[in-house]
Amino acid sequence: MTSIFDDIERTDTKPRPADEARFAYLNRSGRAEAARVRAKIDEWFAAYPETHRAALIARFRSAIDVQHHSAFLELFIYHFLLARGCKVIEIEPKLEHTEKSPDFFVENDKQQRFYVEVVQASGLSNQEASAQARLSTALAAIDDTPSPLHFLDLKVTGQPAQPLSTKKLRTALKSWIASLPEGEGAKKVAPFVHEEHEAKILITAWPRNKPDQSGKAIGIQRTPVIQVNPSQEIFPALKGKAGRYGKLDHPYLVVINGLSMNHDETAVLDALLGKEAVRLSKGPNGEEIVQQIREPNGVWHGPREGEARNTRLSGVLALKQVDPWNFASKTGLLVPNPRAEKPLPQLGLGTNEMVISGDKYLRKEGKQMHELVGLPAPWPEE
């Protein structure tokens, strides 16, 4: 089995520095846990359909953490579904009425079919998300710039208010890379600097242990810290996916991975059903009546009270901060839409679940992912 990771000596057992790209650390770490994670990732990629494997590997190896995490999430959900007795009939299935494709077309053990879309919720505002997208485009251009003899150490300050000129950036960067001496002398070369639209990219170089004609250029990446707003995290991501594919011929499940520390089950239910509130009113004899209600501001509830909306979204499987290192200790929450046009079948995923009972939900406890995918409890620890 060919590894997707580099064939390098690994001796560093220290924790990941905060400014290092997550794939870069996983790729080089000498920790025993890292070796187990790499082995599992290699195993999963080897079993992933070949026609879609290369593109997913490229995203997983990205120096841009958002792309790295997104690729892992798709890989994980693919194998999670298989472990739970489902069959993935098609990856990125073609739909007759749109050029867009959900991630998976799936069949459960009762031969009931449904679509699955996988999404991450970053918690960024629209302005921050736009700036991050612009920066990600520039970083991807840098990462794809050939640098067979050197890794690039990249530091970003500021957030781009407009798209960066990637063609101009790559042209200048190629020239700078071509001027670098081999060996340790590259570390003493004056940094490459690109300033544009309130963002500054500063790059230095250090030598690779062995030449790599196909490897990614960025080795270390330092980008500005952005404060995540949990209240903005889940609702926009779910709402954006709810009607993305129009009217479907089978139920439609969205798997969402919340990246905020404050992402929890309450936040998921509030986003779907509306935030919990108290209604005070007077009875016929003047007595005070207190009612627990949901405000009409959920993906499935509103804007007029009681109105069902986004009924094409059959259900949501919510995860929290799942990544290659920690997925075994996580669980999830499956929330079916009680007023879905095409209700979810019984999936038997084994996660926590809000089971529809009349006009209410009953919570059913589930298991951690290590049990659901067949790994020992402390994995990747021994």
Side-chain angles (χ1 to χ4, degrees):
M1 180 175 65
T2 303
S3 176
I4 74 158
F5 297 93
D6 295 332
D7 182 13
I8 57 176
E9 182 179 1
R10 297 178 172 93
T11 57
D12 187 355
T13 58
K14 297 177 183 177
R16 181 183 70 87
D19 58 4
E20 184 173 16
R22 293 179 183 273
F23 173 78
Y25 177 70
L26 176 58
N27 186 45
R28 70 165 183 82
S29 175
R31 293 168 54 190
E33 299 89 346
R36 296 186 193 103
V37 172
R38 288 192 296 267
K40 176 55 66 176
I41 295 298
D42 276 336
E43 175 190 328
W44 278 357
F45 268 118
Y48 199 79
E50 188 174 0
T51 52
H52 294 273
R53 191 184 305 157
L56 194 63
I57 289 173
R59 288 169 51 209
F60 182 84
R61 286 179 56 90
S62 175
I64 301 168
D65 287 343
V66 171
Q67 293 185 17
H68 168 71
H69 279 306
S70 177
F72 171 74
L73 188 62
E74 290 180 31
L75 180 69
F76 169 67
I77 292 301
Y78 176 86
H79 285 284
F80 171 70
L81 290 168
L82 297 185
R84 303 313 301 157
C86 295
K87 176 183 178 181
V88 178
I89 299 171
E90 190 175 359
I91 296 175
E92 297 180 3
K94 302 302 180 184
L95 304 175
E96 292 183 358
H97 59 283
T98 177
E99 294 182 356
K100 301 172 183 176
S101 297
D103 291 310
F104 306 117
F105 187 37
V106 185
E107 183 178 86
N108 68 5
D109 58 359
K110 297 180 177 62
Q111 298 183 321
Q112 297 167 308
R113 296 183 172 187
F114 56 101
Y115 295 101
V116 175
E117 176 77 350
V118 180
V119 62
Q120 294 204 111
S122 66
L124 303 178
S125 68
N126 290 338
Q127 182 178 358
E128 290 167 338
S130 296
Q132 283 291 91
R134 297 182 196 109
L135 184 58
S136 293
T137 299
L139 296 184
I142 293 171
D143 204 27
D144 288 336
T145 302
S147 183
L149 301 180
H150 306 89
F151 279 121
L152 304 184
D153 184 338
L154 180 149
K155 181 179 181 180
V156 179
T157 54
Q159 289 287 333
Q162 298 180 40
L164 302 180
S165 305
T166 54
K167 184 177 180 180
K168 179 181 178 181
L169 172 60
R170 287 196 66 183
T171 299
L173 181 60
K174 283 181 180 180
S175 178
W176 182 79
I177 291 174
S179 71
L180 293 172
E182 296 184 18
E184 296 294 317
K187 296 179 180 179
K188 300 178 182 179
V189 174
F192 172 87
V193 179
H194 182 88
E195 290 188 76
E196 189 179 6
H197 301 314
E198 302 176 27
K200 179 179 179 180
I201 300 173
L202 186 146
I203 299 175
T204 55
W206 45 284
R208 295 181 188 266
N209 292 331
K210 60 175 68 174
D212 184 354
Q213 297 295 333
S214 60
K216 296 296 185 179
I218 300 175
I220 298 178
Q221 173 186 318
R222 305 174 180 88
T223 55
V225 175
I226 294 178
Q227 183 68 40
V228 171
N229 186 341
S231 66
Q232 297 178 341
E233 178 186 3
I234 305 168
F235 180 88
L238 290 174
K239 190 174 185 299
K241 294 294 184 181
R244 178 173 173 78
Y245 302 107
K247 191 174 181 64
L248 295 170
D249 54 345
H250 294 283
Y252 171 44
L253 175 70
V254 168
V255 180
I256 185 168
N257 185 32
L259 300 182
S260 167
M261 286 293 293
N262 295 311
H263 172 91
D264 58 18
E265 292 186 359
T266 298
V268 173
L269 294 175
D270 285 352
L272 291 171
L273 308 176
K275 293 183 179 180
E276 287 189 306
V278 175
R279 173 186 288 164
L280 302 177
S281 60
K282 295 291 185 180
N285 299 316
E287 70 274 18
E288 187 176 79
I289 300 175
V290 180
Q291 292 176 288
Q292 294 287 337
I293 64 167
R294 292 276 182 181
E295 295 180 1
N297 56 9
V299 173
W300 290 336
H301 181 205
R304 294 186 297 273
E305 186 175 349
E307 177 190 34
R309 61 177 178 176
N310 295 310
T311 56
R312 293 172 180 172
L313 177 57
S314 305
V316 170
L317 175 60
L319 309 174
K320 178 181 179 180
Q321 293 185 312
V322 166
D323 67 33
W325 296 81
N326 68 16
F327 69 86
S329 64
K330 300 291 185 174
T331 186
L333 178 68
L334 180 64
V335 187
N337 184 349
R339 294 185 283 186
E341 290 180 13
K342 296 186 180 298
L344 276 183
Q346 293 294 320
L347 301 183
L349 297 181
T351 63
N352 298 334
E353 184 174 350
M354 303 302 291
V355 179
I356 298 172
S357 178
D359 61 350
K360 296 181 179 180
Y361 282 120
L362 299 178
R363 192 178 188 283
K364 179 182 177 181
E365 292 293 327
K367 299 178 180 179
Q368 289 187 325
M369 290 297 178
H370 70 86
E371 293 185 74
L372 301 179
V373 300
L375 287 171
W379 191 93
E381 308 285 344
E382 282 189 324

